[in-house]
Amino acid sequence: QSLANGADGILFEPSKSNIQFDTLLDQIKTEFCTLSWIVSNEYADSISAFDLWIRKNEIRKSLSGTVFWKESPKAEFDHLLACQVSPFGILVKTKSNPEDEIAVTLLNTIATIESLIKQKISIDVAIRGIAFSISIGTDFFMEIAKIKSLRNLWYQIQMAYGIAAVHPVHIH
């Protein structure tokens, strides 16, 4: 109903492992909406099952979304980049002020990048696979400044890692 009334994506948070994707996503047209996930490592196998569902339905070209991790992202899902899925989503934790939110998030992001590199993921794949999910309050000018700051600092981090063509940031 929400998709029929203008929503352009769905955000799932699995609370069990054996999800029936044929039932859950019945009548969802993946070419018209994003499918994103907030996942704890406890339910990482649901993302594996989702990947199998993608392959079975041959929808790699029409699928987009993000996998946001409550803990450190799992490198084994880097192949989801073949779709337009960002497999290494970072949840921005709410802090007492925007500066702390951004600082802690970027420190965690750098730790994630370093972890992915240690897991044999190339820096380019790691950078392309990162997206951010950030909460927004009612002080719109402050929130716009927070998002612009995150975007600009993310571009600077990419340049520090030697990324020649800076990848646009995905912010949810």
Side-chain angles (χ1 to χ4, degrees):
Q1 182 180 3
S2 296
L3 291 171
N5 289 315
D8 61 2
I10 304 170
L11 179 64
F12 295 101
E13 186 169 356
S15 59
K16 64 179 191 172
S17 294
N18 56 349
I19 298 171
Q20 303 300 316
F21 287 101
D22 286 328
T23 303
L24 178 65
L25 302 174
D26 184 40
Q27 298 182 23
I28 301 296
K29 306 291 186 214
T30 59
E31 62 271 22
F32 300 117
C33 72
T34 62
L35 298 178
S36 296
W37 307 87
I38 297 177
V39 181
S40 66
N41 288 340
E42 177 181 4
Y43 299 116
D45 58 338
S46 61
I47 299 304
S48 296
F50 177 59
D51 185 43
L52 290 173
W53 180 84
I54 293 169
R55 292 171 196 245
K56 181 180 90 172
N57 290 287
E58 300 178 356
I59 58 169
R60 284 203 176 278
K61 301 257 190 274
S62 67
L63 183 67
S64 64
T66 304
V67 180
F68 294 106
W69 294 91
K70 291 183 178 178
E71 297 92 16
S72 184
K74 299 290 183 191
E76 68 241 31
F77 299 110
D78 64 320
H79 60 278
L80 289 174
L81 284 166
C83 311
Q84 295 300 315
V85 175
S86 300
F88 313 127
I90 307 289
L91 292 171
V92 177
K93 301 204 176 18
T94 304
K95 301 288 181 194
S96 59
N97 61 58
E99 297 88 358
D100 287 345
E101 278 185 40
I102 293 170
V104 169
T105 297
L106 292 177
L107 284 171
N108 290 339
T109 303
I110 291 169
T112 296
I113 292 169
E114 294 299 324
S115 172
L116 292 169
I117 290 170
K118 285 180 185 171
Q119 296 176 59
K120 307 292 189 241
I121 300 293
S122 75
I123 184 64
D124 192 60
V125 169
I127 295 285
R128 278 190 306 121
I130 290 179
F132 299 95
S133 178
I134 189 166
S135 298
I136 306 185
T138 56
D139 184 353
F140 295 117
F141 292 113
M142 179 62 76
E143 302 302 338
I144 290 168
K146 179 171 71 173
I147 291 171
K148 287 183 93 165
S149 296
L150 176 62
R151 177 177 287 131
N152 289 333
L153 290 168
W154 175 239
Y155 291 149
Q156 289 181 22
I157 287 171
Q158 289 185 57
M159 291 188 311
Y161 274 104
I163 302 297
V166 177
H167 300 287
V169 63
H170 175 86
I171 298 176
H172 171 264

